[in-house]
Coordinates of all heavy atoms in Angstrom, one line a residue:
I144 N 7.8 19.5 0.0 CA 7.6 18.3 -0.9 C 8.4 18.4 -2.2 O 9.1 17.5 -2.6 CB 6.1 18.1 -1.2 CG1 5.3 17.9 0.1 CG2 5.9 17.0 -2.2 CD1 3.8 17.9 -0.1
K145 N 8.4 19.6 -2.8 CA 9.1 19.9 -4.0 C 10.6 19.7 -3.7 O 11.3 19.1 -4.6 CB 8.8 21.3 -4.5 CG 9.4 21.6 -5.9 CD 8.9 23.0 -6.3 CE 9.4 23.3 -7.8 NZ 10.8 23.3 -7.9
F146 N 11.1 20.2 -2.6 CA 12.5 20.1 -2.3 C 12.9 18.6 -2.2 O 13.9 18.2 -2.7 CB 12.7 20.8 -0.9 CG 14.1 20.7 -0.4 CD1 15.1 21.6 -0.8 CD2 14.5 19.7 0.5 CE1 16.4 21.5 -0.3 CE2 15.8 19.5 1.0 CZ 16.7 20.4 0.6
G147 N 12.0 17.8 -1.5 CA 12.3 16.4 -1.3 C 12.4 15.7 -2.6 O 13.3 14.8 -2.8
I148 N 11.5 16.0 -3.6 CA 11.5 15.4 -4.9 C 12.7 15.8 -5.7 O 13.5 15.0 -6.3 CB 10.2 15.7 -5.6 CG1 9.0 15.0 -4.9 CG2 10.3 15.2 -7.1 CD1 7.7 15.5 -5.5
D149 N 12.9 17.2 -5.8 CA 14.0 17.7 -6.7 C 15.4 17.4 -6.2 O 16.3 17.5 -7.0 CB 13.8 19.2 -6.9 CG 12.6 19.5 -7.8 OD1 12.3 18.6 -8.6 OD2 12.1 20.6 -7.7
H150 N 15.6 17.1 -4.9 CA 16.9 16.8 -4.4 C 17.2 15.3 -4.2 O 18.2 15.0 -3.7 CB 17.2 17.7 -3.2 CG 17.4 19.1 -3.5 ND1 16.3 20.0 -3.5 CD2 18.5 19.8 -3.8 CE1 16.8 21.2 -3.9 NE2 18.1 21.1 -4.0
S151 N 16.2 14.5 -4.5 CA 16.4 13.1 -4.6 C 17.0 12.8 -6.0 O 16.9 13.5 -6.9 CB 15.1 12.3 -4.5 OG 14.5 12.6 -3.2
D152 N 17.8 11.7 -6.1 CA 18.4 11.4 -7.3 C 17.4 10.7 -8.3 O 17.5 10.9 -9.5 CB 19.6 10.4 -7.1 CG 20.7 11.1 -6.2 OD1 21.2 12.1 -6.6 OD2 21.0 10.5 -5.2
I153 N 16.5 9.9 -7.7 CA 15.5 9.3 -8.5 C 14.2 9.4 -7.7 O 14.2 9.1 -6.5 CB 15.8 7.8 -8.8 CG1 17.0 7.7 -9.8 CG2 14.6 7.1 -9.5 CD1 17.5 6.3 -10.0
T154 N 13.1 9.7 -8.3 CA 11.8 9.7 -7.7 C 10.8 8.8 -8.4 O 10.7 8.9 -9.7 CB 11.2 11.2 -7.6 OG1 12.1 12.0 -6.8 CG2 9.8 11.1 -6.9
T155 N 10.2 8.0 -7.7 CA 9.1 7.1 -8.3 C 7.8 7.4 -7.6 O 7.7 7.9 -6.5 CB 9.5 5.6 -8.2 OG1 9.4 5.2 -6.8 CG2 10.9 5.3 -8.6
S156 N 6.7 7.0 -8.3 CA 5.4 7.0 -7.7 C 4.7 5.7 -8.1 O 5.1 5.0 -9.0 CB 4.6 8.2 -8.2 OG 3.9 7.9 -9.4
V157 N 3.7 5.4 -7.3 CA 3.1 4.0 -7.4 C 2.0 3.9 -8.5 O 1.4 2.9 -8.7 CB 2.5 3.6 -6.1 CG1 3.6 3.5 -5.1 CG2 1.4 4.5 -5.6
S158 N 1.6 5.1 -9.2 CA 0.6 5.0 -10.3 C 0.8 6.2 -11.2 O 1.4 7.2 -10.8 CB -0.8 5.0 -9.7 OG -1.1 6.2 -9.1
N159 N 0.3 6.1 -12.4 CA 0.4 7.2 -13.3 C -0.5 8.3 -12.8 O -0.1 9.5 -13.0 CB -0.1 6.7 -14.7 CG 0.9 5.8 -15.4 OD1 2.1 5.9 -15.3 ND2 0.4 4.8 -16.1
S160 N -1.6 8.0 -12.2 CA -2.5 9.0 -11.7 C -1.7 9.9 -10.6 O -1.8 11.1 -10.6 CB -3.7 8.4 -11.0 OG -4.4 9.3 -10.3
L161 N -1.0 9.2 -9.7 CA -0.3 9.9 -8.7 C 0.9 10.7 -9.3 O 1.1 11.9 -8.9 CB 0.3 9.0 -7.7 CG 1.1 9.6 -6.5 CD1 0.2 10.6 -5.7 CD2 1.6 8.5 -5.6
T162 N 1.5 10.2 -10.3 CA 2.6 10.9 -11.0 C 2.0 12.2 -11.6 O 2.6 13.3 -11.4 CB 3.2 10.1 -12.1 OG1 3.8 8.9 -11.6 CG2 4.2 10.9 -12.9
Q163 N 0.9 12.2 -12.3 CA 0.3 13.3 -12.9 C -0.2 14.3 -11.8 O 0.0 15.6 -11.9 CB -0.9 12.9 -13.8 CG -1.4 14.1 -14.6 CD -0.4 14.8 -15.5 OE1 0.3 14.1 -16.2 NE2 -0.2 16.1 -15.3
E164 N -0.8 13.8 -10.7 CA -1.2 14.7 -9.7 C 0.0 15.5 -9.0 O -0.2 16.6 -8.6 CB -2.0 13.9 -8.6 CG -2.7 14.8 -7.6 CD -3.7 14.1 -6.8 OE1 -3.9 12.9 -7.0 OE2 -4.4 14.8 -5.9
T165 N 1.1 14.8 -8.9 CA 2.3 15.4 -8.4 C 2.8 16.5 -9.3 O 3.1 17.6 -8.8 CB 3.4 14.4 -8.2 OG1 2.9 13.3 -7.4 CG2 4.6 15.0 -7.5
Y166 N 2.8 16.3 -10.6 CA 3.2 17.4 -11.5 C 2.2 18.6 -11.4 O 2.6 19.7 -11.4 CB 3.2 16.9 -12.9 CG 4.4 16.0 -13.3 CD1 4.2 14.8 -13.9 CD2 5.7 16.4 -12.9 CE1 5.3 14.0 -14.3 CE2 6.8 15.6 -13.3 CZ 6.6 14.4 -13.9 OH 7.7 13.6 -14.3
D167 N 0.9 18.2 -11.3 CA -0.1 19.3 -11.3 C 0.0 20.1 -10.0 O -0.1 21.4 -10.0 CB -1.5 18.7 -11.4 CG -1.7 18.1 -12.8 OD1 -1.0 18.4 -13.7 OD2 -2.7 17.3 -12.9
L168 N 0.1 19.5 -8.8 CA 0.1 20.1 -7.5 C 1.4 20.7 -7.1 O 1.5 21.9 -6.6 CB -0.4 19.2 -6.4 CG -1.9 18.8 -6.4 CD1 -2.1 17.7 -5.4 CD2 -2.7 20.0 -6.1
I169 N 2.5 20.0 -7.3 CA 3.8 20.3 -6.7 C 4.7 21.0 -7.8 O 5.6 21.8 -7.4 CB 4.5 19.1 -6.2 CG1 3.6 18.3 -5.2 CG2 5.8 19.5 -5.4 CD1 3.0 19.1 -4.1
Q170 N 4.5 20.7 -9.1 CA 5.3 21.2 -10.2 C 6.8 21.0 -9.9 O 7.6 22.0 -10.0 CB 5.0 22.7 -10.4 CG 3.5 22.9 -10.7 CD 3.1 24.3 -11.0 OE1 4.0 25.2 -10.8 NE2 1.9 24.6 -11.3
P171 N 7.3 19.8 -9.7 CA 8.7 19.6 -9.5 C 9.4 19.7 -10.8 O 8.9 19.5 -11.9 CB 8.8 18.2 -9.0 CG 7.6 17.5 -9.6 CD 6.5 18.6 -9.6
K172 N 10.8 19.9 -10.8 CA 11.6 20.0 -12.0 C 12.0 18.6 -12.4 O 12.3 18.4 -13.6 CB 12.8 20.9 -11.7 CG 12.5 22.3 -11.4 CD 13.7 23.1 -11.1 CE 13.4 24.5 -10.7 NZ 14.7 25.3 -10.3
S173 N 12.1 17.7 -11.5 CA 12.6 16.4 -11.7 C 11.6 15.5 -12.4 O 10.4 15.7 -12.3 CB 13.0 15.7 -10.4 OG 13.9 16.5 -9.7
D174 N 12.1 14.5 -13.2 CA 11.2 13.5 -13.7 C 10.8 12.5 -12.6 O 11.5 12.2 -11.7 CB 12.0 12.7 -14.8 CG 12.3 13.5 -16.0 OD1 11.5 14.4 -16.3 OD2 13.3 13.2 -16.7
I175 N 9.6 12.0 -12.8 CA 9.0 11.0 -11.8 C 8.7 9.8 -12.6 O 8.0 9.8 -13.6 CB 7.8 11.6 -11.1 CG1 8.1 12.8 -10.3 CG2 7.2 10.5 -10.2 CD1 6.9 13.5 -9.7
K176 N 9.2 8.6 -12.2 CA 9.0 7.4 -12.9 C 7.9 6.6 -12.1 O 8.0 6.4 -10.9 CB 10.3 6.6 -12.9 CG 10.2 5.2 -13.5 CD 11.5 4.5 -13.5 CE 11.4 3.0 -13.9 NZ 11.0 2.9 -15.3
T177 N 6.9 6.1 -12.9 CA 5.9 5.2 -12.3 C 6.4 3.8 -12.1 O 6.8 3.2 -13.1 CB 4.6 5.2 -13.1 OG1 4.1 6.6 -13.1 CG2 3.6 4.3 -12.5
V178 N 6.4 3.3 -10.9 CA 6.7 1.9 -10.7 C 5.6 1.4 -9.8 O 5.4 1.8 -8.7 CB 8.1 1.7 -9.9 CG1 8.3 0.2 -9.7 CG2 9.2 2.4 -10.7
Y179 N 4.8 0.5 -10.4 CA 3.6 0.0 -9.7 C 4.0 -0.8 -8.4 O 5.1 -1.4 -8.3 CB 2.8 -0.9 -10.6 CG 2.0 -0.2 -11.6 CD1 2.0 -0.6 -13.0 CD2 1.2 0.9 -11.3 CE1 1.2 0.1 -13.9 CE2 0.4 1.5 -12.2 CZ 0.4 1.2 -13.5 OH -0.4 1.8 -14.5
N180 N 3.0 -0.9 -7.5 CA 3.2 -1.8 -6.4 C 3.1 -3.3 -6.8 O 2.7 -3.6 -7.9 CB 2.1 -1.5 -5.4 CG 2.3 -0.2 -4.6 OD1 3.4 0.3 -4.5 ND2 1.2 0.4 -4.2
F181 N 3.5 -4.1 -5.9 CA 3.5 -5.6 -6.1 C 3.1 -6.2 -4.8 O 3.0 -5.6 -3.7 CB 4.8 -6.1 -6.6 CG 5.9 -5.9 -5.5 CD1 6.2 -6.9 -4.6 CD2 6.6 -4.7 -5.4 CE1 7.2 -6.8 -3.7 CE2 7.6 -4.5 -4.4 CZ 7.9 -5.6 -3.6
V182 N 2.9 -7.5 -4.8 CA 2.6 -8.3 -3.6 C 3.5 -9.5 -3.5 O 4.0 -9.9 -4.6 CB 1.1 -8.7 -3.5 CG1 0.2 -7.5 -3.6 CG2 0.8 -9.8 -4.5
D183 N 3.6 -10.0 -2.3 CA 4.4 -11.3 -2.2 C 3.6 -12.4 -2.7 O 2.6 -12.8 -2.0 CB 4.8 -11.4 -0.7 CG 5.6 -12.7 -0.4 OD1 5.7 -13.5 -1.3 OD2 6.1 -12.8 0.7
E184 N 3.9 -12.9 -3.8 CA 3.0 -13.9 -4.5 C 3.1 -15.3 -3.7 O 2.3 -16.2 -4.0 CB 3.5 -14.1 -5.9 CG 3.2 -12.8 -6.7 CD 4.0 -12.7 -8.0 OE1 4.6 -13.7 -8.4 OE2 4.0 -11.6 -8.6
S185 N 4.1 -15.5 -2.8 CA 4.1 -16.7 -2.1 C 3.1 -16.7 -1.0 O 2.7 -17.7 -0.4 CB 5.5 -16.9 -1.5 OG 5.8 -16.0 -0.5
R186 N 2.6 -15.5 -0.6 CA 1.6 -15.4 0.4 C 0.2 -15.1 -0.1 O -0.8 -15.5 0.4 CB 2.0 -14.3 1.4 CG 3.2 -14.6 2.2 CD 3.6 -13.4 3.1 NE 2.5 -13.0 4.0 CZ 2.3 -11.8 4.4 NH1 3.0 -10.8 4.0 NH2 1.2 -11.5 5.2
F187 N 0.1 -14.3 -1.2 CA -1.1 -13.9 -1.7 C -1.3 -14.6 -3.0 O -0.8 -14.3 -4.1 CB -1.2 -12.3 -1.9 CG -1.0 -11.6 -0.6 CD1 0.2 -11.0 -0.3 CD2 -2.1 -11.4 0.2 CE1 0.3 -10.4 0.9 CE2 -2.0 -10.8 1.4 CZ -0.7 -10.2 1.8

Side-chain angles (χ1 to χ4, degrees):
I144 297 170
K145 187 175 186 296
F146 177 87
I148 294 171
D149 283 338
H150 290 86
S151 297
D152 298 304
I153 294 174
T154 301
T155 70
S156 85
V157 298
S158 67
N159 291 324
S160 170
L161 181 60
T162 298
Q163 188 57 53
E164 189 166 2
T165 304
Y166 285 133
D167 293 342
L168 285 174
I169 309 301
Q170 300 180 358
K172 298 176 183 177
S173 305
D174 290 334
I175 300 172
K176 175 180 174 61
T177 298
V178 180
Y179 283 133
N180 286 334
F181 65 93
V182 305
D183 181 351
E184 294 159 11
S185 68
R186 294 177 56 212
F187 299 100

